[in-house]
């Protein structure tokens, strides 16, 4: 059992000594694993239902499909640092229970959605719940593991359970949408969230790390609004026009707010994120490759869902096969991942993961839109899935292991934040790139087709996604072949972009991330600097 903190919130020397030798109970591990798995199921299910949402919710543009995925990812990326602080101050068990209950409420709202606006709201509430669960579960794992070996094993388990959620999500979304109702998927998540809340309340142990931590309202406001402005500009850019005043202002606001966040965190007494941690080369590089690498992964997942469901009009259950290859392999690779992380430096496991992802994405960029056979997905999506299994465990371990143990709560929140910010960028950026290219190619093809001269204004106004939708109007359906060609070219470019991102991460990880000895030396420098400042 964890040693309770005294009423003052400050541990005594004796309790701190006992805490260093505690280990997590099996009940706590089960509660944490259940929570992180379910949170990831909630995050991943909407991406498997893009084609279904297009049919039943009637979004007016492709950017609205992007927002369904990002409505849950935005609060996760924006709030994880704050929930890291709240867990350190008030206890992580409370956040496990509260996060599960917020997820339950959000999924119930989503279940009753009849339009995209209600779906946005429900997914945003679910995202707030997941924002509490991800850093809290990782912080419990990190604070209860006191050696590199034990921490590596527990982080590999945590990442595998997160990936198990990715394995369950496509099956849940595909089966319910194909054989019952897509609403049933959200009902099931809500029921499981209630079970997570109960299991966490009755069986999970509490822990906290309040030393030097306090709420940072200005930091939270600036980072939350800054990330929202950035994602808004990226998602709406293809629709509104990259040169429009709204998009330019959104980018400027995002830049100003994110710079303000950095300035606030440098000056505030108790920051959400200590900027001096970025003086640690391994921490800074690991955080950077996490953002880019996770953008690469979820960009792939988003692109393949649009490729199969929106362009090829394949069923949700067939799309689930691609998602299982992408996300479901990690749980089966857990023994190998743990072995590699125990035997090799994390940077080599990380580099291998990104390399495999990049190769798979390059193969995906050459897929033919006319090939709807499932075997054509096995090699490209399988390589990305195996690479992701290696990368997500090793990058998490690298970030957590490059800070002093007493900052495990901040490290866990930072790891989750940069990972999920990368996830949020995936649909936003790849959707923007693919749709911008597709719109240009589509308009050029329509203008060159004399048979569409009388319908040109209507066709161009609808855009390639609407023209290729099911069922389209009789008039604009004549332009469907041009829409398919343009969209396939746009999303092939999307696959190429994420491949380049993954390969860059592989090179950076191999060449510039240090080994354990260098990381421990940099941690010692941070701790020495703190001691000197106190003296």
């Amino acid at each position: 059992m964890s040693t309770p903190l005294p009423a003052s919130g400050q541990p005594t020397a004796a309790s701190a000594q006992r805490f260093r030798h505690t280990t997590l109970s099996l009940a706590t591990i089960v509660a944490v694993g259940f929570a992180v798995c379910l949170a990831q199921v909630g995050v991943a299910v909407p991406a498997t239902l893009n084609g279904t949402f297009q049919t039943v919710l009637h979004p007016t543009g492709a950017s609205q499909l992007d927002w369904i995925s990002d409505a849950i990812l935005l609060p996760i990326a924006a709030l994880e640092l704050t929930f890291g602080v709240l867990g350190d101050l008030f206890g992580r068990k409370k956040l496990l229970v509260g996060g599960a209950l917020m997820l339950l409420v959000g999924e119930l709202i989503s279940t009753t959605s009849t339009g995209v606006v209600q779906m946005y709201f429900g997914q945003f509430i679910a995202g707030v719940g997941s924002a509490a669960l991800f850093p809290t579960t990782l912080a419990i794992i990190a604070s209860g593991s006191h050696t590199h070996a034990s921490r590596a094993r527990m982080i590999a388990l945590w990442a595998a359970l997160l990936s198990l959620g990715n394995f369950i999500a496509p099956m849940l979304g595909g089966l319910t949408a194909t054989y019952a109702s897509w609403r049933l998927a959200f009902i099931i998540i809500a029921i499981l969230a209630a079970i997570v809340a109960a299991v966490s309340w009755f069986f999970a142990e509490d822990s906290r790390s309040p030393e030097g931590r306090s709420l940072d309202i200005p930091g939270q406001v600036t980072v939350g609004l800054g990330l929202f402005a950035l994602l808004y500009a990226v998602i709406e850019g293809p629709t509104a026009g990259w040169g429009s005043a709204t998009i330019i202002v959104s980018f400027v606001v995002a830049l100003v707010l994110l710079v303000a966040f950095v300035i606030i965190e440098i000056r505030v007494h108790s920051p959400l994120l200590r900027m001096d941690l970025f003086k640690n080369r391994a921490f800074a590089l690991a955080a950077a490759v996490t953002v880019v690498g996770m953008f690469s992964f979820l960009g792939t997942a988003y692109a393949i869902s649009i490729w199969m469901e929106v362009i090829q009009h394949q069923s949700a259950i067939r799309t689930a096969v691609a998602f299982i290859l992408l996300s479901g392999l990690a749980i089966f690779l857990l023994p190998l991942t743990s072995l590699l992380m125990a035997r090799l430096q994390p940077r080599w496991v990380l580099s291998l993961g990104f390399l495999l992802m990049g190769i798979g994405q390059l193969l995906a960029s050459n897929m033919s839109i006319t090939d709807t056979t499932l075997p054509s997905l096995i090699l490209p999506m399988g390589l990305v899935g195996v690479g992701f299994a290696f990368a997500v465990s090793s990058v998490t371990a690298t970030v957590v292991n490059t800070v002093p143990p007493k900052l495990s709560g901040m490290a866990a929140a930072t790891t989750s934040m940069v990972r999920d910010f990368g996830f949020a960028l995936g649909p936003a950026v790849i959707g923007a790139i693919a749709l911008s290219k597709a719109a240009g190619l589509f308009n050029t093809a329509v203008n060159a087709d004399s048979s569409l001269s009388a319908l040109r204004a209507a066709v161009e106004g609808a855009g390639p996604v609407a023209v290729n939708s099911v069922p389209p109007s009789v008039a604009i359906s004549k332009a469907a072949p041009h829409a398919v060609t343009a969209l396939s070219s746009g999303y092939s470019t999307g696959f190429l972009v994420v491949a380049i991102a993954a390969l860059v991460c592989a090179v950076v990880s191999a060449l510039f991330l240090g080994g354990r000895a260098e990381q421990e030396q940099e941690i010692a420098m941070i701790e020495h600097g703190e001691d000197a400042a106190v003296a």
Side-chain angles (χ1 to χ4, degrees):
M1 295 289 292
S2 295
T3 304
L5 294 176
S8 66
Q10 298 298 326
T12 64
S15 67
Q17 180 65 31
R18 289 195 299 272
F19 182 76
R20 281 196 290 270
H21 295 286
T22 60
T23 56
L24 295 172
S25 69
L26 179 60
T28 300
I29 294 173
V30 170
V32 166
F34 197 179
V36 70
C37 181
L38 182 64
Q40 189 59 31
V41 171
V43 169
V45 159
T48 70
L49 297 172
N50 277 318
T52 301
F53 291 149
Q54 185 187 37
T55 302
V56 300
L57 298 181
H58 309 295
T60 58
S63 66
Q64 290 194 337
L65 284 177
D66 294 353
W67 275 115
I68 292 175
S69 295
D70 272 316
I72 191 170
L73 290 168
L74 178 60
I76 293 174
L79 295 175
E80 282 176 314
L81 287 174
T82 292
F83 281 120
V85 174
L86 292 175
D88 283 345
L89 289 175
F90 304 113
R92 293 161 185 147
K93 180 175 179 175
K94 296 182 180 68
L95 290 186
L96 280 180
V97 176
L101 293 177
M102 288 292 290
L103 179 60
L104 183 155
V105 172
E107 299 297 11
L108 289 179
I109 293 172
S110 300
T111 299
T112 60
S113 296
T114 56
V116 292
V117 174
Q118 185 176 343
M119 180 62 73
Y120 296 160
F121 182 67
Q123 288 301 286
F124 185 88
I125 298 299
V128 174
S130 296
L133 294 176
F134 284 129
T136 300
T137 52
L138 184 56
I140 292 173
I141 290 291
S143 64
S145 305
H146 308 296
T147 66
H148 273 291
S150 64
R151 187 173 291 185
R153 286 193 298 270
M154 293 305 298
I155 288 175
L157 176 61
W158 182 89
L161 289 169
L162 182 146
S163 295
L164 177 61
N166 283 328
F167 177 79
I168 294 171
M171 293 192 295
L172 178 62
L175 289 171
T176 55
T178 303
Y179 300 111
S181 167
W182 62 271
R183 300 179 192 276
L184 182 58
F186 293 100
I187 293 173
I188 291 172
I189 296 171
I191 293 171
L192 293 176
I195 296 173
V196 167
V199 169
S200 299
W201 177 261
F202 288 108
F203 300 108
E205 300 171 12
D206 204 1
S207 65
R208 64 182 77 179
S209 302
E211 298 86 355
R213 301 285 266 160
S214 64
L215 294 177
D216 175 16
I217 302 300
Q220 180 56 69
V221 170
T222 51
V223 72
L225 294 178
L227 291 178
F228 176 81
L230 176 61
L231 290 175
Y232 177 86
V234 172
I235 292 174
E236 293 296 330
T239 302
W242 294 107
S244 69
T246 301
I247 301 304
I248 292 174
V249 169
S250 296
F251 276 122
V252 171
V253 169
L255 177 62
V256 170
L257 288 174
L258 293 177
V259 170
F261 170 72
V262 173
I263 295 173
I264 289 169
E265 297 308 283
I266 291 173
R267 296 182 176 182
V268 74
H269 175 68
S270 180
L272 284 173
L273 177 60
R274 284 177 41 177
M275 290 298 155
D276 63 325
L277 290 177
F278 290 94
K279 296 177 182 178
N280 180 333
R281 179 175 55 87
F283 179 88
L285 287 174
V289 298
T290 299
V291 172
V292 178
M294 297 307 103
F295 149 75
S296 174
F297 172 75
L298 208 68
T300 305
Y302 173 77
I304 198 63
S305 72
I306 298 296
W307 184 273
M308 296 182 69
E309 289 195 70
V310 176
I311 305 176
Q312 293 182 330
H313 303 307
Q314 297 201 55
S315 67
I317 193 65
R318 288 176 66 87
T319 307
V321 175
F323 276 83
I324 290 170
L325 290 169
L326 280 173
S327 306
L329 300 178
I331 191 67
F332 303 106
L333 292 171
L334 176 59
L336 177 59
T337 304
S338 299
L339 177 64
L340 290 175
M341 290 178 64
R343 299 287 181 86
L344 301 175
Q345 299 284 2
R347 61 172 170 170
W348 300 121
V349 185
L350 189 58
S351 299
L352 175 62
F354 285 133
L355 177 62
L356 293 175
M357 284 176 57
I359 293 172
Q361 292 155 340
L362 286 175
L363 293 174
S365 69
N366 289 301
M367 292 190 304
S368 171
I369 198 64
T370 60
D371 187 353
T372 59
T373 61
L374 293 179
S376 65
L377 300 172
I378 293 175
L379 186 57
M381 296 300 108
L383 284 173
V384 176
V386 173
F388 175 70
F390 293 156
V392 72
S393 297
S394 51
V395 77
T396 301
T398 300
V399 176
V400 171
N401 285 333
T402 51
V403 299
K406 64 182 178 181
L407 296 179
S408 59
M410 182 182 292
T414 303
T415 303
S416 295
M417 189 269 290
V418 295
R419 183 193 67 239
D420 292 318
F421 179 58
F423 281 162
L425 286 177
V429 174
I430 296 306
I433 291 171
L435 290 174
S436 294
K437 181 176 182 180
L441 292 174
F442 178 69
N443 290 339
T444 299
V446 167
N447 287 328
D449 189 340
S450 58
S451 66
L452 296 174
S453 56
L455 304 171
R456 188 167 298 151
V459 168
E460 290 183 352
V465 173
V467 168
N468 188 49
S469 65
V470 177
S473 69
V474 175
I476 64 175
S477 65
K478 296 178 181 179
H482 297 311
V484 170
T485 300
L487 288 168
S488 64
S489 179
Y491 282 94
S492 291
T493 300
F495 284 125
L496 181 60
V497 169
V498 294
I500 293 171
L503 294 174
V504 168
C505 287
V507 172
V508 170
S509 301
L511 295 182
F512 301 110
L513 276 178
R516 290 196 185 100
E518 292 89 342
Q519 292 172 11
E520 290 173 355
Q521 187 176 37
E522 290 182 330
I523 289 174
M525 291 175 64
I526 293 174
E527 293 179 321
H528 178 73
E530 289 180 336
D531 294 340
V534 171

